[in-house]
Amino acid sequence: MKESKNLFDRISEQVSRGLAQNTSRRGLFGLLGAGIVGMSSIPLLPVARAAGTGQPQASDLQESGDDQSCDYWRYCSIDGFLCTCCGGSVNTCPPGTEMSPITWIGTCKNPEDGKSYIVSYNDCCGKSGCGNCLCNTNEGDRPMYVPAKSNDINWCLGTQSSVYHCSTAIVVGMAFE
Amino acid sequence: MNRMFQGFVFGCIIASSSVTNADFKPEPIGIIETLPEQYPDHWIMAQDLSFFHMLEGAVRVIDPSEETTGDQYKGQMTSSFIAVFEHSKVRNEHYVIESFFSRGGRGGKRTDLVTIYDPTSLSVSDEIEIPAKRLTGMPKGTQAALIGEEERFLGIYNFTPAQSVSIVDLEKRVFVNEVATEGCGFVIPNGARSFSSICGDGSFLTSNLDASGALTSSTRTETMFDPVGDPVFETPIAYDDNAYFLSFSGKLLPVNIGEKQISAGDWLSLATTEDEKSWRPGGITPMTSDTNGNVYVLMHPDGGEGTHKNGGSEVWVYDLEKKKRTNRIELKNWSLVVGTSGTGKNKFLLATNTDMAIDVYELPTANYARTLTGAGSTPFVIDGLN
Amino acid sequence: MPGVDNPQRAHVNYILNCQGCHGPEGSGSADGDVPRMKDFLGNFLNVEGGREFLIRVPGVASAPLSDTAIAELLNWTLHTQSPDQIPEDFLPYNESDVIQWRRKTLGDVAHERERLIVRMR
């Protein structure tokens, strides 16, 4: 069996191998597989969508890649549905949701400039799960007894509603070199 | 024309049968099935977290020895919002620790409950309201635990992000109090009336309760592992007086969880040769055990930073009695979750594959037997009941 | 900033280890039981037991940082988020303070905080 980057890559891989024929248990994975296959068919954009749609972005941050894909650089340790696929963006929540003020913070390397940036993975809350673009990457993720470094926790905390909808990846600083 | 002919033949058959209107007995309406008071020990409780629809989780009772989905499926308990399941052997009760929202998916008032199910009828026999602050997240066996040999108390880990454990008295059916465990989390039972929590600096905190469930004393150990360099997964295997924790690098740490004192033993390595050192444990539920002291760990090759939830292509078996790795089981499918059930002839290793179906392997041969497809959309935890 | 060798390093350590719960400005979250540090943290230095309390709170004591880095982070946070509450005779935290108090963990943090806040009045 070939080793792959993460479990959802693997699911996608299986779907593309034709497991979709087995329709009796395809409910979830038909959906998930379709999402991932659909995502990978989108050509890589030269600049992240966030920049193009007038969303706030850290000053002078040069980015490339597809921010609706799990392998986008900011998502090096994200667990959940990408807000970029749910009506939000990398750093904004979808309409009618509420951004959690409490979250965990990771560090990702931006391939554009080779520098490491600090990413705050604030969750958007108050609507049931978005269901699109499920990702699970775990660079620097640690078990839940190290909460400041754990993406397994539902971070819809300190919000009116603790129902999880999707996750953002907000660049809040540069790592100390 | 053809259909008319079939109808004619069918009519003749009925007419020729011995049943008459006078002595026909209709089938009774309204009968509800029940389950045996003690389930066969190879049955499993498959916990579907329903990751895509978190308010719609379920715990399913499944017989993995049967051939068809219909025969495998015995019943279900609904479990709302990434719930936690516990079973008390002493009390023969099921517990679902769950959350409800007065406005459903958009929130509203949150109510956290310990819902008590009767295993025979699978109906709710009681509810105990607890503070609406239990940790919600990916499932870990230690989010809640029965405390003490009498299993009188149930501890539930809270995270707001302030950390504490809610204590429920299962005999009196009430929430008793909240024990602060700041800096530490999870509930690992030990001793007559105490539990330990794992702390962010790699130490352990033990909280001792009195007969009413109130905190009497607590003790904190020295650091026993490196929570950043080589952390241990949240859920240990309990065997003898030890809790065996699995580290990201693939070593077991025996922690003697005595009531008075906690001490760590020497690390045990799952890898036996140099070639095996690049293999790492990983998954959503990466480790389980059986009643004979065998530990089963999901392993993947070429592991490294960030691969600890990847699942694996093999399950490695470590015998805690012999203190050695005894087997490498090559799985039929890449899997993310492992569990075991049963004893003797009906003993199984179960693995949720990436299709979210559960592959059943017979133990001790580890021969693949069948795949269970009726366990829901995301069965992230599989519990045997022994 | 007294007791802060490298403010940028201290700020990064704050973001990585504290900001997730306490927020970028130390505002905390009432709904999440996260104490506010902004315009308040320095008050602890004015009461007996307060200086060591700030080392012993779990977020500080358990942070994966060296004793020196913890001392720098405490000084930076005090000066950045609560400068007006710092007493004039404040001696910046140093490595030996952290060594002395870090392993003496607090049992009930919320209770101890309340006790100290009562003393501030």
Side-chain angles (χ1 to χ4, degrees):
Chain A
M1 240 173 293
K2 185 174 143 279
E3 221 275 326
S4 177
K5 266 186 182 166
N6 68 52
L7 68 104
F8 300 114
D9 284 352
R10 193 172 306 287
I11 291 158
S12 167
E13 204 174 280
Q14 296 210 350
V15 170
S16 59
R17 271 195 229 127
L19 277 174
Q21 291 155 357
N22 186 355
T23 49
S24 64
R25 57 170 193 259
R26 292 261 27 106
L28 163 67
F29 292 96
L31 232 168
L32 179 54
I36 286 179
V37 172
M39 271 156 35
S40 57
S41 69
I42 295 168
L44 291 187
L45 301 178
V47 182
R49 284 183 188 80
T53 53
Q55 300 295 349
Q57 194 185 12
S59 56
D60 301 328
L61 186 58
Q62 297 299 311
E63 298 180 88
S64 64
D66 180 359
D67 66 7
Q68 294 177 4
S69 173
C70 298
D71 58 10
Y72 187 59
W73 76 277
R74 294 182 187 220
Y75 306 145
C76 74
S77 199
I78 201 163
D79 188 357
F81 308 117
L82 302 180
C83 288
T84 47
C85 300
C86 303
S89 75
V90 284
N91 51 22
T92 56
C93 283
T97 61
E98 184 187 5
M99 191 182 285
S100 167
I102 298 171
T103 185
W104 88 279
I105 285 179
T107 305
C108 297
K109 193 169 187 173
N110 181 358
E112 257 325 87
D113 60 9
K115 289 178 179 162
S116 290
Y117 291 85
I118 307 172
V119 182
S120 182
Y121 292 104
N122 298 68
D123 285 342
C124 303
C125 317
K127 291 183 191 295
S128 57
C130 157
N132 295 336
C133 299
L134 175 58
C135 299
N136 182 220
T137 50
N138 297 294
E139 261 178 57
D141 168 73
R142 290 297 175 263
M144 287 197 263
Y145 53 79
V146 189
K149 300 190 185 303
S150 183
N151 69 18
D152 271 350
I153 296 169
N154 168 21
W155 282 104
C156 285
L157 299 170
T159 40
Q160 291 287 305
S161 165
S162 51
V163 180
Y164 168 79
H165 186 66
C166 66
S167 300
T168 64
I170 306 171
V171 176
V172 292
M174 290 181 75
F176 189 75
E177 301 297 335
Chain B
M1 199 62 188
N2 195 17
R3 184 162 293 192
M4 274 178 68
F5 177 71
Q6 281 175 356
F8 174 70
V9 173
F10 190 57
C12 289
I13 291 167
I14 286 175
S16 66
S17 82
S18 59
V19 180
T20 62
N21 274 356
D23 60 12
F24 176 79
K25 280 196 179 137
E27 292 176 358
I29 293 170
I31 292 183
I32 314 288
E33 295 284 346
T34 55
L35 297 178
E37 200 172 309
Q38 297 293 329
Y39 300 172
D41 72 0
H42 65 274
W43 284 16
I44 56 168
M45 311 299 288
Q47 298 170 47
D48 176 14
L49 274 282
S50 186
F51 195 84
F52 282 66
H53 306 277
M54 291 180 184
L55 299 173
E56 292 289 334
V59 181
R60 291 177 172 83
V61 186
I62 290 174
D63 180 350
S65 71
E66 294 286 358
E67 288 304 331
T68 69
T69 302
D71 290 342
Q72 288 152 4
Y73 199 107
K74 301 299 173 193
Q76 186 243 51
M77 288 167 279
T78 53
S79 59
S80 180
F81 202 57
I82 31 185
V84 180
F85 172 78
E86 292 290 330
H87 171 77
S88 167
K89 268 185 145 172
V90 178
R91 319 184 79 85
N92 197 29
E93 286 176 335
H94 297 321
Y95 307 103
V96 176
I97 300 137
E98 54 189 339
S99 306
F100 293 94
F101 299 91
S102 64
R103 292 293 178 272
R106 83 177 139 96
K109 186 183 185 300
R110 171 173 162 178
T111 306
D112 285 12
L113 294 178
V114 176
T115 305
I116 304 175
Y117 279 89
D118 169 52
T120 305
S121 67
L122 286 188
S123 57
V124 176
S125 57
D126 223 329
E127 287 178 353
I128 304 167
E129 188 168 346
I130 52 173
K133 51 162 91 172
R134 70 180 184 91
L135 171 111
T136 56
M138 292 299 278
K140 310 289 163 191
T142 41
Q143 270 159 280
L146 294 151
I147 298 166
E149 279 175 16
E150 295 162 11
E151 300 188 339
R152 175 169 167 185
F153 297 109
L154 178 65
I156 299 128
Y157 174 41
N158 298 320
F159 184 79
T160 67
Q163 294 162 293
S164 65
V165 170
S166 287
I167 305 292
V168 164
D169 185 335
L170 293 171
E171 206 167 281
K172 293 185 175 164
R173 304 291 207 215
V174 287
F175 161 73
V176 184
N177 71 323
E178 193 182 329
V179 175
T181 59
E182 290 293 351
C184 311
F186 299 98
V187 193
I188 300 159
N190 57 18
R193 261 194 319 264
S194 63
F195 65 91
S196 296
S197 304
I198 317 169
C199 307
D201 62 357
S203 66
F204 291 88
L205 169 75
T206 300
S207 305
N208 301 300
L209 308 176
D210 68 12
S212 73
L215 182 74
T216 55
S217 63
S218 61
T219 52
R220 181 92 173 249
T221 68
E222 291 296 302
T223 296
M224 290 184 177
F225 64 91
D226 177 354
V228 175
D230 189 18
V232 297
F233 290 93
E234 291 91 338
T235 310
I237 295 298
Y239 186 71
D240 288 342
D241 292 331
N242 287 305
Y244 289 85
F245 287 91
L246 173 65
S247 79
F248 281 18
S249 74
K251 293 181 291 180
L252 288 168
L253 177 67
V255 178
N256 190 291
I257 45 169
E259 200 174 337
K260 295 271 183 291
Q261 205 187 336
I262 290 192
S263 56
D266 293 333
W267 289 92
L268 309 165
S269 179
L270 295 178
T272 57
T273 65
E274 207 53 40
D275 297 353
E276 292 181 343
K277 295 235 164 101
S278 71
W279 285 73
R280 292 277 187 282
I284 294 169
T285 306
M287 178 166 70
T288 187
S289 64
D290 64 17
T291 50
N292 303 5
N294 293 305
V295 176
Y296 300 81
V297 182
L298 258 178
M299 301 289 291
H300 57 267
D302 306 319
E305 174 58 47
T307 70
H308 55 279
K309 290 176 200 162
N310 279 19
S313 56
E314 293 190 10
V315 164
W316 291 12
V317 187
Y318 190 94
D319 186 328
L320 293 173
E321 207 57 56
K322 294 180 185 149
K323 294 248 184 302
K324 62 182 244 198
R325 218 269 319 284
T326 52
N327 199 6
R328 277 176 66 164
I329 300 168
E330 202 171 318
L331 297 175
K332 185 170 187 285
N333 297 302
W334 192 281
S335 296
L336 299 164
V337 172
V338 283
T340 64
S341 75
T343 49
K345 281 184 182 164
N346 271 326
K347 185 170 170 178
F348 302 107
L349 170 69
L350 306 121
T352 304
N353 62 37
T354 50
D355 230 12
M356 290 291 121
I358 299 175
D359 293 326
V360 182
Y361 302 84
E362 285 162 352
L363 289 175
T365 60
N367 289 336
Y368 166 78
R370 64 192 63 83
T371 296
L372 314 174
T373 57
S377 61
T378 50
F380 287 167
V381 184
I382 304 166
D383 280 341
L385 287 178
N386 47 353
Chain C
M1 233 180 257
V4 180
D5 286 346
N6 187 326
Q8 196 205 340
R9 176 177 62 202
H11 187 195
V12 167
N13 281 336
Y14 177 84
I15 297 174
L16 287 174
N17 298 288
C18 317
Q19 178 169 317
C21 291
H22 288 277
E25 269 102 49
S27 308
S29 163
D31 290 334
D33 298 331
V34 182
R36 177 169 63 93
M37 302 198 290
K38 189 177 168 56
D39 301 327
F40 190 78
L41 195 62
N43 289 325
F44 285 100
L45 302 171
N46 291 304
V47 293
E48 198 195 330
R51 183 180 172 93
E52 52 263 39
F53 175 78
L54 298 186
I55 301 172
R56 297 172 75 195
V57 294
V60 174
S62 299
L65 295 170
S66 70
D67 297 323
T68 324
I70 293 272
E72 183 184 67
L73 174 57
L74 282 168
N75 293 326
W76 180 89
T77 309
L78 280 160
H79 282 287
T80 310
Q81 299 184 356
S82 182
D84 298 341
Q85 288 72 37
I86 300 174
E88 277 179 16
D89 58 353
F90 169 60
L91 290 173
Y93 284 98
N94 59 38
E95 188 186 13
S96 55
D97 292 325
V98 180
I99 292 170
Q100 187 186 346
W101 291 105
R102 188 178 189 177
R103 306 272 163 236
K104 296 190 176 74
T105 49
L106 286 163
D108 193 331
V109 184
H111 198 253
E112 177 67 9
R113 186 191 305 117
E114 274 167 37
R115 214 168 56 83
L116 294 171
I117 288 172
V118 167
R119 277 190 204 163
M120 290 172 196
R121 287 175 189 141

